[in-house]
Every structure is written in C-alpha cells, then in structure tokens.
Amino acid sequence: MASPCEILVSGTGPSAARHAVELAMVEAERIEQKFSRYRSDNIVHAINSAEGRRIELDPETNRLLAFADRVHQMSDGAFDPTAGVLRRIWRFDGSDRVPSKGDVASLLPLVGWHKAEWDGSSLRLPKGMQIDLGGVGKEYAVDSVAESLEKEIGGSVLVNFGGDMRACRPPSDGDQWEVGIESPHEDGHAVRQVPLVSGGIATSGDARRFLVKDGVRYGHILDPRTGWPVAGAPRSVTVAAGTCTEAGCLSTLAMLEGPRAKEFLREQQCPFWCLD
Amino acid sequence: MPRPDRIRWVRQLSLIVLLALSSWVLVGCVSLARVEPWERGTLARTDMTLDSEGVDLELDDHIYFSREATAGGRSFGGGGCGCN
Amino acid sequence: MQLKDVRPRGRCTRFALATAAVALLGNGDAQAGDHRPVEVETAVLGYSEPDRVQVLEGVLSAKTELEEGRHLYGQLAFDVLTGASANGASPARSVQTFTRPSGESRYQVAPGQTPLDDGFSDKRLAASVGYDMPLDRWTNLSVGVQGSTETDYLSLGTNIGISRDFFQRNTTLGLGISVNRDRVSPLGGIPVEFGSMPRTTTVRLDDDEGGGENKTVFDFNAGITQVLGKNSLVRINYAFDHASGYLTDPYNVLSVLAPVGSIAPGTVSDILHESRPTSRTQHAVYAELKRALGANVADLSYRYATNDWGTQSQTVELRYRQFLSPNYYLQPHVRYYQQSAANFYHRYLIEGALLPSNASADYRLADMTTSTLGLEFGHRTVSGKWISVAVEYYRQFSISGAEVAFGALDGLDLYPDVSALTARVGLSGEW
C-alpha cells in the first residue's frame, strides 16, 4: 500500500481488536497481490502481457471493470483505467522534467478505455495498452476491508489506509469518529478536524508528488484525454461520501476540473475540503 | 406626435436596439471550434443548458399561446388547453 | 411533447456514482442508500389584464434518475381564469345585450365599450409523465403522455422523441412526434356556425349538456443543437403542426352591421357565432443562441411561423442574465412579436353581403404586434437551490383589420390595445 495503514476498533476487547487487524491485513494483502501492477503472477499482469489476446476474468475483476466502465462513461472519459502507460513519461519527483508534447502525443493512442473490448466476462486490450487499477484500487481495498470487518467483528471499525478511510458505523463510545485532514504544506499537522459518523473519506492531492516548471506547478493527476495534468487545481481535495470508492472518484474528478473543482463538488452536494 | 407616427417610431427604435444587442451576442459565436469534453466546464453550467428555467419558459409560452395566433417551435408541442 | 436536452450529461451525478460503488462492493442490491435525488422545478404566475382577464397558474415539475442513465419525470399544472374577455362583437352607440354561452342569462355592455363577456371563470388541471432512456452511449429515447381537463375542454396526448449526439457531443440531432386528441364541450353546447346568438333567454326544454366536438393535433419536430465554442451554442428547430376537427371558438361572435347607405349605417342588425376552418397546418422555424460572457449569460432567439390560415409571424426574444454577485442575478427580458391577420379575420360583417365560408372577429387573429418587457431577479441559496421573482409587462398593440369604423361606429376604437402585467415566482433545485 506504500502508506501507513491503521485500523481503529471501538467497543471490543483487545483480542477482538487483534483479530480485526489480522483479518484486515489478510484482505488488504489479497487485494494488493491480485491487482498490483508490479507483480507478475496476477490477473493484471496476465491482461497487460496478453499482446492482444482475450483474457477471461473472475467475478471480482469484472465488478471492478464494470465500475470503471460506468465512471468512465459518467465522467466523459476523465476516469480511465488504461491511463497507466502515461507513467512512463511523467515522474512526479519535484523536479522540472516535464515531458515534451511529442512524448505525450506518442503515448496518447495507447490510452482510452473505449478502445478496450470488455464484454462483462473477458477483456481484450489492443497491443501496447495497459490496465492500471491504481486509481480505484486503494479505495476499493478500504471499502472491502471495512465491510468484511463489519460482518466479522462485534464493535465498530474505522479503516484508514493513508488518508483514505471508511467507517460503516459510528464508534461504540461516541457519536462520531474524529478525523484530521492534513495540510499539503506540513506533514503530520492536522489542519482541520472533521467528524465522521459513517461513510468514506478520500483525498486527492499533490502534497508530495508534483513537478514545477517555469513557475507552473503540475499536480500528479493526469487527464487521460490529453495526457497532461490539469492546471489550476487545488493542492488537495478531500471528499466525504457513502463509501471510500465513491469519495475517491469524486476527489479525482474534482481535481481534473481544475479551477472549477469547488463548483463541481458543490454540484455533487457532498461534503468536501479543498486546500490551495 | 400623432399616434400612428409615434407607434412607428417606437417600433423602429425597438428594432434597432434589438438588432444591436443581437449583433453583439452573435459576434462572439462565429467560430465553429470543436470543443473537447474537458473544455465543457462553462457549457455544463445549469444556466447554459437550453431548457434551464423550463417551467418558467413553459408558463410564458402558455400565455403567448393563448394571446397570439401562432405558437410553438421551441420545444413545445401538442395542444392541451382550450385557451386559444 | 418535449424535444428536451435529454442526452446523458457528462457530469457525474452522485447518485449514479454511489449506485455504481455499491454494485462494485456487492452489498445488497444496487440502490445506494435511501435517498434518490429528485430535481424539482416549480413556479406560480399571476397574469392580469386590467378590466379583463385574470389568471393564476402554477406548475410543479419533478425529475429523477433511475439506474443506467434513465430518467422519470412528471409535471402537474393548474390554472384558474376569471374576469372578462372580448367576445368579438363590435362596440355600438347604444347599450348592447348579449346572452351568456350557457344561454341562461344575459349581460349588458355600455355604449362605446368593447363588448366583454365578464362571466368567464374556469379551472384547468393538467398532468404529464415522461420517461427517457439511453439506447446506446450516444442515443436517447423519450416517451411521454399528457392530459388536461377543464370545465369545457379535455385533452389527451402522447409523445415520443429520439436524440443522438455526434462529434463528441458537439452536435445533437433530435426528432419528435406528438399526437393530441382534444374534446371541446362548451357550456350551452356547440353553437351553429354563423347562427344567431339568441337575443332572449331561452327556457331549456332539453338536456343539452353533452354537446361537444373533437379536435386532433399532430406535431412533428426536428432540431439540431450545435456547440459553437467553449462559451456558446445554438439550436435550430423546425416544427410542423397540423390541427383538424373543431377549431372554432364556441364563445366568440361577430357583429353584423347595417351597411353604408342604409337608414342607420353601422348599427347592429345581428350577432352571429364565428366559424373557423376545420383544419390548420403550420410550419415554424426557430433558432436560439446561448452565449456565456463570463458568469453572465445571453439568450437570443428568433422564430418565423406561417400557417394556412394566412398568418405569418416573427418573434425575437432576448434574455440577459447579469450576475451582481456569485449568488444573485438580474435578468432583463425583451420580446417582440408581430403577426399578420388570418385570411378569415373580419372585425364585423356587413348585412346583405355574401357570408364568407369562415369568419372570426377574435382580435388574436388580427394584424397585431406584441411586446414584452420583463425583469427577473434570482438568488442561489446556500444549499444550491434557485429562487426567482419576475415581473413583466406585456402589450398587444397595432391591432388592425381591413374594416374601419363607419356610420354609427364613427369615433369608436375598434381595435383597442390590450396590456397585461404578470408576476412570477419560481423555485428549483435538487432534493
């Protein structure tokens, strides 16, 4: 997961809490192993090395692709599981190495979920295209862990994987969980305290990953339709919604709206916090 | 001014004003550029969609329908009342 | 029929996203929570012609999204009408007596006054339901039914439309058809065309309640919406309308006047019920331009219409929304309309002359110009809902016909202007 993960358990004894953490680790590792793009023994590798062949998928992968397909449609292409190839030329390390227009243009033909052939049970990607579920994988893991813990553990649980979190219920000893939102400027200092009764919170932000060139700051969220990051977006957007997956999509889409991010979120009528 | 002349003067002035306003609005609309989905921020605003204030427009159209000899064209169709 | 902008929006609606997320996590059925947002738009309008008609109208419209980009919408409308309406007769130098449409009483009109029937009072209730669904990513189908009922009028109709996007939704083509079947059942029954209006109250011997006639209206609509740039778009529509059946106004009459050269020229010798043709075909072309200028919006439209009753009309309308602050706007509105008379429009008939096949003295069919001047004030609330208040002044003027005042009518205004004031309050938003 590459970020600190914690489980907060309320209303049970220490052994149940330990059990919760073990369950969470098992489920989180399972999802990580299954959908990580760095492994060579999972379904994502099979799809990405298929060289144009059709691959049969299991129900969970199909559900994820169904979700990605739906959000791709709803957002007019702003959300795209095939945008991972752009990583080859964009490295957000704080330097000024912004790729050239030619580099981006040469990769764009390999991006586009509408070019993939997915029929609900199997997937065929044109040669050179790649699937990357990183855009929704972490939030999906948060929700999946939270919901399976909800069934297994007696108390209330808050799952927090590096700022993406989900609580199915309020804590047993109070009305809400107290969540702190970190400023992109200073790590570790909560700028805002937010009460969460139940639901998910996700943050999109470029606190640590960005490029600066000629005085223009480029956040790390790329628009798959252009291959470029969007200028004028807030430094970080935190959204609260019914599930962490939903919140994650909304925060990513908001960042892609650039200067219109706040208006977009207002139209969606979800609680949000922007840090500029 | 006798009445028919005054009416004609008012009519001509209103037409000139309307034409001037129309040209000013039209001038910015001459180009037919292809707008990509990520450039549609302004067009997605509720007050830029064609049937925003739909209920207000329908109420207005209903009045004109019952007071004038021709009606319809916008997106209004069908009968529905005996007021004409 | 609505040729609405029904194509699926590129904007995410939270409900759709939430539904998709729940389907992904496989929990329960694909209904996200217990709250499905409903878009509601409602408005109430009061219209008043001083000394004439007063109308109060209200509309409530709701739209909700079902799964997979489908929508359901419904609308309820009512209107209440009271006051006096011109009955088509000419003014006279002496008191005139007319029989009410029900035949059960009479009313009098003072000398020199335009005859108005002040017994008009009616309530109307209308309802419509519509449904639209995507046929594929670029195509949308919509269907709907509507009905409306008044004391003397019933209307039922259905509509169907299809729209398709091209060029990454820069262009949208739409087609629509609607059919309405109406029944006119006037108080007192359907009058005989060119029949004399009874001068005395008649005692009813038979139960004349059920008299009525039908009317069918068919509409076809084709349109194209084109994005012109990041800030503007244009819509062009062609509309075809064909009405057949009973198109006459059962409450309108014409005065028959003694001709020049007779003993008392210009005096009333008879009052006849009007008669209109049994079919009307109309073509209209409509163009609308919407342009954003910063936060402000200009909306300009033009319509040309022509029908086989001989009327041609042009309409120009401009609305400009100027934001005073992010949440308050002022919107002036100007409309200019001009029509030419129907070929059977006659202000009055002459005694002894050959009766034309159709004749009506309804001033709304005459040469006429109308203008509207309005101002709307709007506010967006903290929760994102819009409230608006508007006041408008509407004037029908330059009403004229071939017939002039002569003899006893000398000095009387046969074509008076009509003015009206309207006030409207509206609310719209998502709940």
Side-chain angles (χ1 to χ4, degrees):
Chain A
M1 288 287 158
S3 41
C5 299
E6 58 180 354
I7 311 286
L8 296 174
V9 183
S10 138
T12 66
S15 60
R18 261 192 300 270
H19 183 50
V21 173
E22 275 159 22
L23 280 178
M25 270 182 56
V26 164
E27 174 67 359
E29 270 172 19
R30 179 192 76 80
I31 293 178
E32 162 130 43
Q33 279 169 22
K34 184 168 178 188
F35 295 113
S36 164
R37 60 178 181 252
Y38 299 114
R39 298 181 69 99
S40 45
D41 58 354
N42 60 11
I43 188 73
V44 168
H45 178 80
I47 295 169
N48 288 343
S49 54
E51 302 271 307
R53 277 174 298 120
R54 181 169 286 278
I55 304 288
E56 283 294 323
L57 306 174
D58 63 278
E60 185 182 26
T61 308
N62 276 316
R63 281 207 315 274
L64 262 172
L65 289 180
F67 177 80
D69 179 71
R70 184 95 183 92
V71 182
H72 176 78
Q73 260 189 56
M74 278 192 291
S75 64
D76 263 350
F79 182 89
D80 195 319
T82 61
V85 292
L86 294 167
R87 244 180 305 107
R88 289 184 208 152
I89 53 170
W90 285 97
R91 247 167 264 287
F92 294 96
D93 53 6
S95 71
D96 64 349
R97 280 185 294 273
V98 168
S100 70
K101 286 202 165 59
D103 288 341
V104 174
S106 63
L107 270 187
L108 264 189
L110 297 177
V111 177
W113 173 244
H114 49 280
K115 300 172 190 160
E117 290 166 28
W118 176 68
D119 60 6
S121 62
S122 63
L123 175 66
R124 192 190 80 79
L125 285 179
K127 277 198 199 171
M129 287 184 66
Q130 304 267 287
I131 275 285
D132 179 1
L133 295 167
V136 72
K138 183 142 86 104
E139 292 88 351
Y140 171 67
V142 168
D143 282 324
S144 191
V145 165
E147 291 185 9
S148 46
L149 286 181
E150 172 75 7
K151 291 185 196 112
E152 301 284 338
I153 307 294
S156 320
V157 174
L158 173 74
V159 176
N160 175 11
F161 289 173
D164 294 328
M165 56 189 86
R166 168 77 185 279
C168 296
R169 271 186 284 158
S172 319
D173 59 351
D175 290 325
Q176 59 235 359
W177 304 91
E178 292 290 330
V179 171
I181 300 176
E182 197 178 67
S183 151
H185 303 290
E186 312 164 41
D187 294 339
H189 289 270
V191 162
R192 208 178 249 115
Q193 192 96 335
V194 161
L196 176 68
V197 174
S198 74
I201 293 186
T203 303
S204 281
D206 67 341
R208 299 176 195 88
R209 292 187 286 159
F210 58 90
L211 289 172
V212 181
K213 182 164 177 164
D214 300 330
V216 180
R217 186 188 178 94
Y218 295 90
H220 78 285
I221 300 201
L222 299 169
D223 187 330
R225 300 164 295 193
T226 60
W228 288 85
V230 176
R235 292 281 191 98
S236 113
V237 171
T238 302
V239 173
T243 59
C244 191
T245 310
E246 188 193 339
C249 281
L250 284 170
S251 65
T252 304
L253 292 172
M255 293 285 278
L256 285 171
E257 293 279 334
R260 245 195 107 242
K262 289 188 193 151
E263 211 184 302
F264 168 80
L265 289 167
R266 253 180 248 129
E267 278 166 10
Q268 304 309 320
Q269 299 198 327
C270 50
F272 68 92
W273 301 268
C274 277
L275 293 170
D276 293 305
Chain B
M1 237 186 254
R3 198 164 161 232
D5 282 348
R6 189 181 50 179
I7 289 172
R8 200 190 308 137
W9 176 84
V10 167
R11 201 190 287 188
Q12 281 173 347
L13 183 65
S14 336
L15 269 171
I16 291 173
V17 168
L18 265 171
L19 270 170
L21 288 169
S22 319
S23 339
W24 169 64
V25 170
L26 280 165
V27 157
C29 305
V30 178
S31 70
L32 198 76
R34 163 105 137 214
V35 172
E36 306 290 350
W38 58 88
E39 296 174 319
R40 293 184 73 108
T42 305
L43 295 168
R45 279 165 36 185
T46 35
D47 50 16
M48 274 301 284
T49 58
L50 283 167
D51 291 306
S52 63
E53 293 206 306
V55 158
D56 290 350
L57 293 175
E58 261 182 59
L59 282 171
D60 279 358
D61 278 350
H62 189 233
I63 305 257
Y64 300 129
F65 172 75
S66 66
R67 288 280 160 266
E68 295 166 359
T70 56
R74 195 190 326 252
S75 60
F76 188 82
C81 83
C83 37
N84 189 334
Chain C
M1 178 246 314
Q2 313 280 354
L3 194 63
K4 302 200 278 205
D5 200 8
V6 298
R7 54 187 176 76
R9 291 278 148 78
R11 248 175 33 211
C12 262
T13 63
R14 253 200 82 195
F15 173 69
L17 185 54
T19 313
V22 170
L24 166 65
L25 295 158
N27 263 351
D29 55 43
Q31 301 294 324
D34 49 7
H35 179 69
R36 180 177 300 176
V38 179
E39 279 177 42
V40 174
E41 231 187 298
T42 178
V44 173
L45 174 140
Y47 171 92
S48 168
E49 285 170 3
D51 300 327
R52 291 199 180 200
V53 160
Q54 327 279 323
V55 181
L56 182 68
E57 283 192 60
V59 180
L60 175 66
S61 168
K63 173 171 165 174
T64 182
E65 174 156 357
L66 310 171
E67 317 87 47
E68 303 300 324
R70 300 161 197 226
H71 300 90
L72 186 64
Y73 33 93
Q75 181 162 300
L76 273 178
F78 79 88
D79 53 78
V80 176
L81 199 119
T82 54
S85 189
N87 64 13
S90 306
R93 288 268 173 223
S94 54
V95 169
Q96 300 191 70
T97 306
F98 297 93
T99 316
R100 291 206 192 279
S102 60
E104 283 163 19
S105 64
R106 297 176 292 167
Y107 59 99
Q108 300 200 314
V109 171
Q113 297 294 314
T114 303
L116 303 175
D117 179 347
D118 59 357
F120 262 88
S121 161
D122 206 2
K123 294 182 252 302
R124 181 179 83 107
L125 197 60
S128 70
V129 174
Y131 174 75
D132 73 60
M133 57 182 269
L135 294 180
D136 62 43
R137 220 157 144 165
W138 313 103
T139 317
N140 234 271
L141 178 72
S142 73
V143 290
V145 291
Q146 70 236 23
S148 109
T149 171
E150 301 162 59
T151 319
D152 57 359
Y153 200 95
L154 175 69
S155 170
L156 286 173
T158 176
N159 60 75
I160 183 167
I162 189 165
S163 82
R164 194 180 159 101
D165 288 339
F166 300 88
F167 308 126
Q168 289 192 295
R169 304 193 199 282
N170 272 248
T171 307
T172 304
L173 289 184
L175 288 174
I177 283 179
S178 89
V179 177
N180 276 268
R181 188 109 163 114
D182 300 350
R183 187 166 177 82
V184 189
S185 313
L187 303 162
I190 298 282
V192 174
E193 303 198 357
F194 291 127
S196 286
M197 175 189 247
R199 299 306 197 95
T200 55
T201 326
T202 52
V203 175
R204 294 197 166 279
L205 296 173
D206 55 352
D207 186 342
D208 199 32
E209 303 293 341
E213 290 277 354
N214 296 327
K215 167 179 159 189
T216 307
V217 182
F218 170 78
D219 285 280
F220 166 75
N221 216 309
I224 175 173
T225 303
Q226 174 67 43
V227 167
L228 295 177
K230 293 182 211 171
N231 295 314
S232 54
L233 48 83
V234 70
R235 162 162 69 170
I236 300 181
N237 265 3
Y238 161 74
F240 170 82
D241 175 274
H242 178 74
S244 59
Y246 186 74
L247 307 179
T248 302
D249 186 328
Y251 305 126
N252 265 13
V253 295
L254 293 125
S255 304
V256 180
L257 306 178
V260 175
S262 65
I263 301 171
T267 55
V268 180
S269 75
D270 204 356
I271 305 277
L272 300 182
H273 285 282
E274 68 158 43
S275 160
R276 301 190 193 188
T278 51
S279 90
R280 184 192 67 211
T281 305
Q282 176 176 299
H283 304 269
V285 175
Y286 172 81
E288 180 178 356
L289 199 58
K290 249 186 137 101
R291 181 156 176 233
L293 299 125
N296 307 323
V297 182
D299 187 323
L300 176 69
S301 67
Y302 171 80
R303 183 190 60 164
Y304 172 77
T306 176
N307 65 27
D308 66 354
W309 281 5
T311 298
Q312 283 169 14
S313 76
Q314 296 189 75
T315 317
V316 181
E317 195 166 3
L318 177 65
R319 284 184 171 84
Y320 184 73
R321 181 174 291 199
Q322 167 78 44
F323 277 87
L324 310 169
S325 73
N327 293 313
Y328 288 91
Y329 70 80
L330 266 185
Q331 180 171 289
H333 169 220
V334 175
R335 178 181 184 272
Y336 183 84
Y337 170 86
Q338 197 174 3
Q339 73 180 32
S340 62
N343 50 32
F344 56 87
Y345 172 77
H346 297 283
R347 187 65 186 90
Y348 53 71
L349 296 172
I350 295 292
E351 186 186 13
L354 201 61
L355 262 185
S357 40
N358 297 105
S360 169
D362 189 337
Y363 79 92
R364 297 170 299 181
L365 292 176
D367 279 334
M368 176 168 72
T369 306
T370 81
S371 69
T372 308
L373 204 58
L375 190 63
E376 176 179 315
F377 176 72
H379 167 56
R380 170 166 43 194
T381 67
V382 175
S383 55
K385 314 213 184 350
W386 290 90
I387 300 178
S388 66
V389 174
V391 169
E392 302 209 320
Y393 174 66
Y394 176 61
R395 193 153 157 261
Q396 302 170 274
F397 58 99
S398 291
I399 304 176
S400 69
E403 293 81 14
V404 297
F406 71 97
L409 294 180
D410 246 338
L412 293 180
D413 189 357
L414 293 185
Y415 306 100
D417 294 349
V418 182
S419 300
L421 212 56
T422 73
R424 185 186 67 221
V425 177
L427 174 65
S428 75
E430 226 173 81
W431 270 265

